[in-house]
Amino acid sequence: MEEERRVSCIVCPLSCVGDVTIADGKVKTVAEFGCPRGEAYAREEVIAPKRMLTTTVRVSGGQLPLLPVISRQLLPKDKIISCARCLANVTVSAPIKEGDVILSDILKLGVDIVASRDLDAI
Amino acid sequence: MHEEIFDVVIIGGGPAGLAAAVSASDNGAARVLVIERDRELGGILQQCIHNGFGLHRFKEELTGPGYALRYIKMVEARSNITVMLDTMVLAVAADKTIVAVNSRDGMIKITAKAVIFTMGCRERTRGAIRIPGSRPAGVFTAGAAQRMVNMEGYLPGKKVVILGSGDIGLIMARRMSLEGTRVEAVLEIMAYSNGLTRNVVQCLEDYNIPLYLSHTILAVHGNGRVTGVTCAKVDAAMRPIAGTEFYLECDCLLLSVGLIPENELSRELGIEMDGRTSGPVVDQLRQTGLPGFFAAGNVVHVHDLVDFVSEEGEIAGKYAAWHANGKMGDCGCLITVKAANGVRTAVPQVIRAVSGNTEPVRLYMRVEKPEKNVTLAILSDGQVLLERKLRVAKPGEMIVVDLPVENIKKIGDDITVVLKH
């Protein structure tokens, strides 16, 4: 089975749109991207797309009711929603420092979720 | 009335104000004050929890709060910078006295040697774009919704339509989706999105959210709460096309339809404004037309990168410190910078040809509409000072060009920036 996918490149402001054909889970051809960086992005984007996750968790006893958090590394794109759902059930206690691990090894994906700011207690 | 005296007073503790405070302190201002109306420093960065900030400045992709924290720590490390939180400036007079108010001290009178405006910008509202229909609850600007969702813990709706495809609208589409809200559609009146391609891909395509280009909202429905919106396609003159109307059910409408620099204080002083940027006219030192009054960041012109906001803050901070210390010297002759032929805005709008000046002048420009393969030309007296070939130019992406000092010396009495096809 051969599949053709259109991919918008996000590497630079030129925003090339190219075509990638995939067969048996492997990239067969990459066309219409203006540069090798775009081709490399497109290859990864069709086979194993990754994204950073930024969201919030609840805080008890803090200056604010929410703490912004970020994944320390990229996560598989198809796991982003389940990671966000998982973090919706987390509550942490203030005070918190930027970089504190809020949830380690989220969904056993090998990535830690960390605080992206300091938050003092009331 | 409680009275205080400072050398440099900065109004607004967002990214521009923080950078200005650090720079004023590092450039010899003895007493620096930052006045901030929120409960903490950082401005809008505190609610922008997504990453991608600081690639130029810190060579890493920080979140908004992470970027703010770096500058807050720099401010805290300088003992000559005072911060007043929860404090609102009510008036600024031409003699540089400022009246502010807060719940601890009541009315405060502050005397400054130099003032920096870093009040940022505000969102355009439903009233600003005159959407007809009923006036139910559930219509918010995207930034207001961002603050509710990211800082206050409220979800403004469960089924959302977003009008405007600027970056804030796109980022909120993703954010609401992650919080379990269904985003029905993003509508954009222009034939193109003003947001970064990266955001169109990662905020809309990732969540299967349709983007309707050349579409707008004709009416808001609902009694008490929004129940839906009537949408339609628009023609090239942005007029709705009869017969293309359709209805989208929703309980929340978010507006991401542009930002306006917040210049009530500057206007009251009679400072000359630029009708295109809606900010004050500034020179390359970020001094306004009123000596001793400086401005930086989104209050001057709306930026897309916080890195450049910080850079402007640094420039304003440095020269405000010089002004406070009587080091400004000869102001030099004035050269106006005009944007024309496809270029919509250019900042600074004025260049001072100060003798002995050795720093290049960085020009920030925006084009009128998306273009491919054009040349940006900086002209003076019919002479080309500098040319830059652009494979793409988009209104949403600011063009930054450094004009070397030797080119400035060749300048006549004004400069025009144009696009050549």
Side-chain angles (χ1 to χ4, degrees), chain B residues 129 131 161-165 185-193 210-219 229-241 243-248 253 255-257:
Chain B
I129 56 168
I131 308 173
V161 171
I162 301 177
L163 179 63
S165 67
V186 175
L187 302 146
E188 169 60 59
I189 197 165
M190 307 299 281
Y192 52 89
S193 165
L211 170 61
Y212 293 91
L213 296 173
S214 301
H215 275 76
T216 193
I217 290 176
L218 296 187
V229 289
T230 302
C231 315
K233 198 170 176 18
V234 298
D235 63 18
M238 292 198 269
R239 288 172 307 215
I241 302 170
T244 64
E245 299 88 350
F246 60 97
Y247 182 80
L248 288 175
L253 171 63
L255 305 174
S256 173
V257 291

Side-chain angles (χ1 to χ4, degrees), chain B residues 202-386:
Chain B
Q202 298 194 348
C203 300
L204 299 188
E205 290 173 15
D206 276 9
Y207 298 91
N208 300 313
I209 299 167
L211 170 61
Y212 293 91
L213 296 173
S214 301
H215 275 76
T216 193
I217 290 176
L218 296 187
V220 176
H221 305 281
N223 185 6
R225 182 82 196 183
V226 185
T227 51
V229 289
T230 302
C231 315
K233 198 170 176 18
V234 298
D235 63 18
M238 292 198 269
R239 288 172 307 215
I241 302 170
T244 64
E245 299 88 350
F246 60 97
Y247 182 80
L248 288 175
E249 195 184 293
C250 62
D251 64 2
C252 178
L253 171 63
L254 297 188
L255 305 174
S256 173
V257 291
L259 301 166
I260 305 168
E262 168 109 325
N263 276 296
E264 275 73 12
L265 295 173
S266 346
R267 276 206 192 85
E268 268 177 40
L269 275 169
I271 286 174
E272 188 193 348
M273 307 293 285
D274 178 335
R276 292 191 185 185
T277 57
S278 303
V281 169
V282 292
D283 63 21
Q284 77 268 37
L285 314 179
R286 295 302 179 274
Q287 185 164 230
T288 68
L290 205 56
F293 287 89
F294 296 77
N298 284 349
V299 81
V300 176
H301 54 146
V302 178
H303 288 251
D304 11 273
L305 294 181
V306 69
D307 311 67
F308 291 139
V309 169
S310 299
E311 184 178 287
E312 279 201 346
E314 268 171 21
I315 296 171
K318 175 178 174 181
Y319 293 103
W322 281 30
H323 183 92
N325 291 336
K327 278 169 65 181
M328 280 291 257
D330 172 27
C331 266
C333 64
L334 284 180
I335 299 155
T336 38
V337 181
K338 286 183 206 148
N341 288 4
V343 183
R344 185 171 154 71
T345 61
V347 172
Q349 297 89 341
V350 173
I351 295 175
R352 284 183 191 277
V354 183
S355 57
N357 185 8
T358 53
E359 286 172 11
V361 172
R362 178 163 279 188
L363 289 174
Y364 296 91
M365 291 149 293
R366 279 193 199 281
V367 293
E368 296 270 7
K369 57 183 189 5
E371 305 266 9
K372 279 192 171 157
N373 299 314
V374 286
T375 303
L376 178 88
I378 303 178
L379 313 168
S380 183
D381 277 348
Q383 216 184 327
V384 177
L385 295 177
L386 205 122

Side-chain angles (χ1 to χ4, degrees), chain A residues 2-38:
Chain A
E2 202 166 280
E3 189 200 339
E4 185 153 306
R5 291 262 306 272
R6 299 223 89 185
V7 176
S8 304
C9 180
I10 62 157
V11 175
C12 83
L14 290 179
S15 308
C16 299
V17 179
D19 293 310
V20 183
T21 53
I22 315 155
D24 307 322
K26 286 198 176 107
V27 174
K28 271 187 76 184
T29 61
V30 181
E32 300 289 313
F33 291 98
C35 74
R37 284 166 71 208

Side-chain angles (χ1 to χ4, degrees), chain A residues 36-113:
Chain A
R37 284 166 71 208
E39 285 192 11
Y41 165 78
R43 277 172 191 278
E44 177 163 285
E45 184 65 13
V46 295
I47 297 294
K50 294 187 178 71
R51 300 286 186 266
M52 294 295 279
L53 172 62
T54 55
T55 184
T56 54
V57 296
R58 283 196 188 84
V59 178
S60 64
Q63 293 274 357
L64 288 171
L66 295 176
L67 172 76
V69 297
I70 184 168
S71 59
R72 206 170 245 162
Q73 289 95 29
L74 291 158
L75 288 160
K77 184 179 125 181
D78 60 355
K79 299 283 190 231
I80 290 288
I81 292 279
S82 12
C83 288
R85 289 280 72 78
C86 168
L87 287 162
N89 297 315
V90 172
T91 302
V92 293
S93 301
I96 295 143
K97 287 284 174 201
E98 185 197 26
D100 282 358
V101 175
I102 300 305
L103 189 66
S104 62
D105 192 16
I106 187 165
L107 301 180
K108 300 199 163 54
L109 293 165
V111 173
D112 293 345
I113 304 297

Side-chain angles (χ1 to χ4, degrees), chain B residues 57-87:
Chain B
R57 188 130 290 237
F58 298 109
K59 308 289 173 228
E60 55 179 315
E61 283 197 41
L62 299 164
T63 62
Y67 188 98
L69 187 58
R70 270 156 184 73
Y71 270 96
I72 292 169
K73 284 181 175 166
M74 288 184 231
V75 165
E76 285 170 353
R78 286 161 178 78
S79 58
N80 63 336
I81 303 176
T82 304
V83 175
M84 281 184 192
L85 297 173
D86 291 311
T87 306

